[in-house]
Amino acid sequence: MVEAFKIIGGKKIEGELKVDGSKNSTLPIMIATLVEKGTYVLRNVPDLRDIRTLVALLESLGLEVEKLDANSYKIINNGLSGAEASYDLVKKMRASFLVMGGMLAIEKRGKVALPGGCAIGARPVDLHLKGFEALGAKINIEHGYVEATTENGLIGGNIVLDFPSVGATENIIMAAVKAKGKTVLENAAKEPEIEDLCNFLIKMGAKISGVGTGRLEIDGVDKLTACEYSIIPDRIVAGTYIIASILFDGSIKVSGIVPEHLSSFLLKLEEMGAKFKIEGDRLEVLTKLSDLKPTKVTTMPHPGFPTDLQSPMMTLMCLVNGASEIKETIFENRFMHVPELNRMGAKIEIDSSTAKITGVENFSSAEVMASDLRAGASLILAALKANGESLVNRIYHVDRGYENFEEKFKALGANIERIKTEA
């Protein structure tokens, strides 16, 4: 038996949604507790399936992890019990591969299974490995595992990434903070989650300059100090909630946002005719869905339009009168939700890496299936808007990135419940 959401759409939804801590910040920061012994306290941690998966992985490496409350963890690193991350745990989540950088920093070696994760295309780890090699690690790949070894630890070096990969940037930063000498990382990813990881490591005593730019300089230090840290809000959850608010004519207020983390996304919505009132960390939508006009979106590395908001954005575009377009440049398989939206009455055609969307009056209820995390969110939003009963299957994807999705929307008046199904 698996879980699905049964949604009776077309209901009035109003109230306030508070944004949780960032999943994509929490994962690398929790993993960064590997790089130095000590006791850490992390706050504003979202309560998600991926976090629980990572806790099991950290415990398998010898760390003690205690949940202090719904959104806080204490992590005690008394030294790793081993430097191998097994396939059983790594296959559940791609971010698990980030333990390699932490292992190299503290153990000077590491063995990690090649990762699994979402079905949104090939996300190779070659950029991670090139970075480790530039720091003096020897890489060996066999039997589905990557093994990295060093003679006497890592040595700072110059690295130019072929693509500003978020995962590779994070992994290299973690490896470099205790390497001997200076590491210069060019074409580094600039996402807010990278800044958050850097700020966490800097609080521990790491020497990193250029934070928030494409050029990071890391002066290795011998020793870091465990610390307490609060995770930034999740900009993808924020974006999803803002889209939900527009779909329901501004009846949902969104709090706990960092507006500058959402700049390209908000600019694109403004280009479509949306207006906002932002006071501190609270956003209110001042426009109706019918006020919006079509536009074109191209997903790009930060600060461009985030690929993780592409599928919720498509749900919105489906109900905007006229012809809109989304070009996906990051992942080659990220239109798997299109046939499902079309089952709900959308008019979307795929031409290579571009989705051409013709606006319709409304979605119609249907049974659909989430193919990945963000696709799941896009289908739930469509089902909330459609008249009648919809079933969204495979919601375990959604549980990986949205905390208590159904409870939060139920509190606003949505008719959504979690049920068991055979599919």
Side-chain angles (χ1 to χ4, degrees):
M1 298 287 279
V2 293
E3 291 183 322
F5 282 145
K6 184 170 86 170
I7 299 168
I8 298 171
K11 304 291 178 192
K12 188 179 181 184
I13 297 179
E14 62 182 336
E16 187 166 314
L17 289 170
K18 188 174 189 314
V19 177
D20 314 304
S22 166
K23 170 180 94 91
N24 290 339
S25 264
T26 302
L27 296 174
I29 286 172
M30 283 183 102
I31 289 169
T33 63
L34 290 171
V35 306
E36 191 62 81
K37 291 179 183 178
T39 300
Y40 299 83
V41 176
L42 299 180
R43 306 202 183 281
N44 202 32
V45 174
D47 187 16
L48 301 171
R49 180 189 283 252
D50 272 10
I51 306 299
R52 294 189 284 277
T53 300
L54 181 59
V55 166
L57 177 57
L58 293 177
E59 288 175 336
S60 78
L61 295 172
L63 271 58
E64 295 172 33
V65 184
E66 182 190 343
K67 195 169 186 183
L68 300 175
D69 58 46
N71 301 107
S72 301
Y73 281 85
K74 179 160 78 174
I75 300 173
I76 302 171
N77 180 350
N78 288 320
L80 274 57
S81 58
E84 180 173 330
S86 74
Y87 178 66
D88 275 354
L89 290 165
V90 175
K91 71 180 178 184
K92 295 176 183 172
M93 183 178 65
R94 293 198 56 85
S96 305
F97 194 75
L98 296 179
V99 298
M100 181 66 91
M103 285 177 179
L104 282 168
I106 197 167
E107 293 287 330
K108 302 179 174 38
R109 64 191 177 91
K111 186 176 179 182
V112 184
L114 286 164
C118 272
I120 54 173
R123 295 199 271 185
V125 294
D126 57 335
L127 296 178
H128 302 235
L129 304 184
K130 281 181 193 168
F132 297 147
E133 284 177 325
L135 300 176
K138 289 187 170 55
I139 305 290
N140 182 43
I141 303 175
E142 60 182 8
H143 308 304
Y145 279 79
V146 177
E147 189 162 14
T149 53
T150 67
E151 291 290 325
N152 297 301
L154 298 171
I155 296 158
N158 293 332
I159 303 162
V160 181
L161 292 178
D162 298 334
F163 174 83
S165 157
V166 171
T169 300
E170 291 166 340
N171 228 341
I172 292 164
I173 290 168
M174 284 189 260
V177 288
K178 288 172 80 177
K180 295 180 186 75
K182 182 193 281 281
T183 297
V184 178
L185 179 56
E186 302 272 13
N187 200 27
K190 301 192 279 280
E191 272 73 3
E193 296 79 16
I194 303 281
E195 287 189 48
D196 212 24
L197 173 64
C198 288
N199 289 335
F200 171 69
L201 290 165
I202 288 166
K203 194 170 183 189
M204 288 173 66
K207 293 184 175 171
I208 308 170
S209 59
V211 176
T213 75
R215 178 189 166 92
L216 295 174
E217 292 189 14
I218 304 163
D219 289 295
V221 297
D222 292 333
K223 184 93 180 99
L224 295 164
T225 308
C227 68
E228 192 169 317
Y229 192 78
S230 188
I231 309 290
I232 60 169
D234 195 309
R235 64 196 171 99
I236 306 304
V237 171
T240 305
Y241 289 172
I242 291 165
I243 286 171
S245 182
I246 295 172
L247 285 169
F248 289 93
D249 293 337
S251 59
I252 303 168
K253 294 172 182 63
V254 184
S255 64
I257 69 162
V258 181
E260 52 268 33
H261 292 174
L262 294 160
S263 51
S264 60
F265 168 70
L266 293 176
L267 279 169
K268 189 52 73 172
L269 291 175
E270 284 172 345
E271 196 181 287
M272 295 172 75
K275 290 184 174 61
F276 310 105
K277 182 168 91 177
I278 300 173
E279 291 176 341
D281 73 346
R282 198 160 177 272
L283 179 144
E284 196 175 337
V285 174
L286 303 176
T287 34
K288 289 186 160 44
L289 175 61
S290 57
D291 296 335
L292 266 54
K293 54 183 187 288
T295 191
K296 293 183 179 181
V297 165
T298 301
T299 63
M300 297 289 280
H302 193 80
F305 191 94
T307 179
D308 278 356
L309 282 173
Q310 178 256 102
S311 14
M313 187 69 162
M314 189 180 288
T315 296
L316 177 63
M317 288 173 154
C318 286
L319 300 185
V320 174
N321 192 28
S324 294
E325 225 173 76
I326 296 180
K327 185 174 173 63
E328 173 60 57
T329 70
I330 311 292
F331 294 120
E332 73 275 17
N333 265 6
R334 210 158 201 179
F335 286 146
M336 291 169 74
H337 53 291
V338 168
E340 304 302 288
L341 284 174
N342 282 342
R343 279 172 58 75
M344 299 184 76
K347 287 187 180 171
I348 310 164
E349 289 177 17
I350 302 295
D351 180 6
S352 184
S353 60
T354 302
K356 297 179 176 180
I357 305 143
T358 305
V360 295
E361 191 95 354
N362 195 7
F363 295 105
S364 57
S365 52
E367 182 171 351
V368 290
M369 187 168 63
S371 54
D372 65 71
L373 164 54
R374 308 304 170 187
S378 73
L379 294 172
I380 293 166
L381 294 180
L384 287 169
K385 193 71 183 158
N387 289 314
E389 183 177 306
S390 295
L391 201 63
V392 180
N393 292 300
R394 293 196 186 168
I395 57 166
Y396 56 84
H397 287 299
V398 179
D399 291 337
R400 288 186 46 234
Y402 294 90
E403 184 179 322
N404 299 329
F405 201 107
E406 76 277 23
E407 295 304 324
K408 291 188 172 180
F409 276 85
K410 231 185 227 178
L412 304 186
N415 189 330
I416 174 171
E417 63 175 306
R418 188 178 289 254
I419 62 165
K420 303 270 189 201
T421 68
E422 297 291 338

